[in-house]
Amino acid sequence: MSSSAEKYDVFQAIADPTRREVLRLLTEQEMPISQLTAHFPISRTAIAKHLHILSEAKLVSGRKVGREKIYRLQPEPLAELKQWLTYYEQFWNNKLSILKHVIEHDGES
């Protein structure tokens, strides 16, 4: 598969801290690329590549307004991430409960 045909999933998309920050900014309001670029010490081209990956993962969408493209957050794919994290949260909660029980009852033997 060539890199131009590569599709990104939500996990790949959020793996990069810049893309996570772009998502955070888009939770506050829709923005054109020029406004997003002002928040980062990287080029407009780099931000466009990040937006492309986020778009491939269906985490953002863009609409043309005049000569600009306005980007907005599409949070629905994050439900997959939440479901995945919930499983591991239960796992860690169980492990921590066991550890707490062992620590609290360690001196009782």
Side-chain angles (χ1 to χ4, degrees):
M1 176 184 278
S2 73
S3 62
S4 63
E6 186 174 355
K7 296 289 185 194
Y8 295 92
D9 68 17
V10 68
F11 296 95
Q12 292 167 311
I14 66 159
D16 184 272
T18 300
R19 291 192 289 270
R20 290 193 303 268
E21 181 62 11
V22 167
L23 291 175
R24 190 195 66 75
L25 290 167
L26 292 175
T27 62
E28 297 170 5
Q29 66 181 24
E30 296 180 357
M31 292 184 199
I33 192 168
S34 58
Q35 192 175 351
L36 284 166
T37 302
H39 292 273
F40 300 94
I42 58 178
S43 69
R44 180 184 176 107
T45 302
I47 293 296
K49 288 178 183 180
H50 286 298
L51 285 167
H52 173 74
I53 292 168
L54 291 169
S55 293
E56 288 281 319
K58 300 191 181 346
L59 286 167
V60 299
S61 64
R63 62 182 166 78
K64 286 288 246 182
V65 176
R67 293 175 21 164
E68 288 189 307
K69 192 170 189 178
I70 307 297
Y71 290 90
R72 69 184 291 265
L73 176 67
Q74 299 283 116
E76 294 81 11
L78 293 173
E80 178 185 359
L81 177 64
K82 183 178 188 301
Q83 181 181 15
W84 185 82
L85 288 171
T86 298
Y87 170 79
Y88 288 98
E89 181 179 38
Q90 291 171 356
F91 170 79
W92 282 112
N93 285 341
N94 286 339
K95 295 295 182 191
L96 291 173
S97 292
I98 292 168
L99 179 61
K100 179 182 177 191
H101 178 76
V102 168
I103 291 171
E104 288 175 350
H105 296 92
D106 187 39
E108 296 177 7
S109 352

